[in-house]
Amino acid sequence: MSRAKRSKSTRKVYTAKNSARSNSRRHREYFDSHEVYDHETQHSSEHPIRIGLSSSSVSPMTVAETFSQAAKHGYDGVEIMVTHNAETRDVDLINRLSAQTGLDVMSLHAPTLLFMPRVLHKDHWEKLRITANLAKDVGAKTVVLHPPFRWQGEYALGFVDGVRQVSQETGVVLAVENMYPWRAGVREILVYYPDWNPLDEDYDALTFDFSHASTAGMNAVETVAEIFDKLRHVHLTDGSGSLKDEHLVPGTGTMPVAETLQHLAKHDWAGDVVVEVNTRFVAKKSTREQMLADSLAFARNHLGLESSNPRPSASSHIRTSDRSADG
């Protein structure tokens, strides 16, 4: 096996120097001083790019409300996070709502989060197979999943090859998502195995999440360029480089989100973009809905897609402090 394809799964390192914040600051300074966005041309991919709404962006986080909000704002489809809620696994309900709204079920998010260890099945591989088969039943082509935790035994040790096997068995794309190191003072705790960063592993398909990349201190433009051929799915959001996984509305953080979307459009990317923003703590429904509308308009603008909605500024680097100063 070549060096480029060899997994790092055998390593024993549990912590590393905390470099996420310094990396984030360095990347932010670079984009502040270098013009990356092409304001002269509106780029658009030769391939269709759909924009979906994740159920995790909707409050309450129900299947019906997700379809309702996606249809109201003009999204192309939805992504359903499979959770403890039985509705998220109800094939008849999901297909009925899809038919009623005319919206595609673009993807399912597997219940691989920390607080969902026994959703669908206690065996992790069986959990992925069930999710993939659910995806087929509702017409979704992609299952998004997180890398495993170190304590998940054989599932973690055989994850890279196992994901490929489940994908081949079911015919569904399993797109592994970039995560981030957990922080403890000056050290980063590497809880994911083989890594929170999927770039070094031999996966067939990847999901890129801007908020996770922000927390990890990643350079979004460079990362997306590096994984372009394997990138199947994007979670559209933003972050300010803080310790938290923020999932801000795109354009309200410090990540080069606009630049990255334009890069995808300019290089004829083919895949799905799903808005995954945190609206759980918003007091007013009107404010929450505006966040969803703004996120969709942002995506259409910087991907060069036609939109009847007002388009935001071409730059994603309007700092929170700048917004506050402007009132």
Side-chain angles (χ1 to χ4, degrees):
M1 183 178 293
S2 68
R3 179 178 297 274
K5 294 294 185 179
R6 186 165 58 242
S7 170
K8 292 184 178 181
S9 303
T10 56
R11 63 187 166 195
K12 300 298 182 181
V13 177
Y14 294 99
T15 67
K17 181 181 178 181
N18 188 341
S19 58
R21 298 192 75 170
S22 60
N23 287 341
S24 178
R25 183 168 55 254
R26 176 166 51 84
H27 299 324
R28 187 162 60 244
E29 290 171 352
Y30 175 84
F31 287 109
D32 282 342
S33 59
H34 293 77
E35 184 61 67
V36 177
Y37 197 94
D38 182 3
H39 294 273
E40 303 301 322
T41 306
Q42 186 179 54
H43 297 278
S44 59
S45 176
E46 293 182 355
H47 307 289
I49 297 177
R50 300 182 298 176
I51 305 174
L53 179 64
S54 169
S55 59
S56 64
S57 300
V58 175
S59 181
M61 198 171 70
T62 65
V63 172
E65 187 66 16
T66 302
F67 274 99
S68 175
Q69 289 296 317
K72 179 176 183 177
H73 295 293
Y75 282 83
D76 299 313
V78 301
E79 174 175 300
I80 302 298
M81 168 79 77
V82 179
T83 68
H84 302 87
N85 186 344
E87 284 189 0
T88 64
R89 291 110 65 186
D90 189 331
V91 172
D92 292 338
L93 172 65
I94 293 172
N95 284 335
R96 183 169 69 252
L97 291 170
S98 177
Q100 289 174 353
T101 59
L103 296 176
D104 296 330
V105 182
M106 295 161 51
S107 48
L108 297 185
H109 195 308
T112 50
L113 280 67
L114 180 63
F115 57 92
M116 299 181 188
R118 293 185 178 272
V119 174
L120 290 184
H121 204 283
K122 64 180 181 180
D123 180 83
H124 302 294
W125 290 120
E126 193 60 27
K127 181 195 299 262
L128 289 187
R129 290 189 182 92
I130 294 172
T131 305
N133 285 319
L134 281 173
K136 289 197 297 184
D137 290 341
V138 298
K141 298 180 179 180
T142 304
V143 167
V144 177
L145 68 160
H146 293 181
F149 297 102
R150 284 181 174 271
W151 55 81
Q152 290 181 315
E154 293 300 320
Y155 173 65
L157 292 173
F159 186 69
V160 177
D161 292 334
V163 166
R164 177 175 292 113
Q165 181 177 339
V166 173
S167 181
Q168 291 173 348
E169 287 176 3
T170 61
V172 175
V173 173
L174 270 61
V176 180
E177 187 171 4
N178 61 298
M179 295 303 292
Y180 47 84
W182 293 8
R183 297 174 186 169
V186 297
R187 303 293 290 178
E188 296 176 351
I189 305 173
L190 307 179
V191 298
Y192 294 102
Y193 198 92
D195 202 343
W196 60 265
N197 185 350
L199 271 65
D200 295 325
E201 306 301 331
D202 186 25
Y203 297 116
D204 295 327
L206 297 172
T207 295
F208 182 79
D209 185 296
F210 284 97
S211 180
H212 297 171
S214 175
T215 304
M218 300 175 76
N219 183 317
V221 176
E222 288 185 358
T223 301
V224 163
E226 184 174 349
I227 65 174
F228 188 89
D229 292 339
K230 294 185 175 184
L231 183 62
R232 301 291 180 268
H233 205 73
V234 170
H235 276 167
L236 180 59
T237 181
D238 208 335
S240 66
S242 76
L243 296 172
K244 299 179 180 178
D245 180 20
E246 299 168 293
H247 285 273
L248 305 176
V249 171
T252 65
T254 58
M255 292 294 283
V257 186
E259 292 88 339
T260 307
L261 293 184
Q262 188 183 70
H263 176 90
L264 292 174
K266 183 178 182 179
H267 292 86
D268 296 324
W269 181 66
D272 291 332
V273 172
V274 170
V275 169
E276 192 179 72
V277 297
N278 185 359
T279 67
R280 285 173 292 174
F281 305 109
V282 177
K284 294 183 179 180
K285 183 178 180 180
S286 60
T287 303
R288 183 182 301 118
E289 292 193 356
Q290 190 62 52
M291 293 168 70
L292 303 182
D294 289 348
S295 298
L296 176 60
F298 186 98
R300 284 177 169 166
N301 182 20
H302 300 300
L303 288 169
L305 304 175
E306 293 183 0
S307 171
S308 59
N309 295 327
R311 292 181 175 179
S313 167
S315 176
S316 69
H317 292 119
I318 302 176
R319 304 282 179 245
T320 303
S321 57
D322 296 336
R323 293 177 181 273
S324 299
D326 292 339

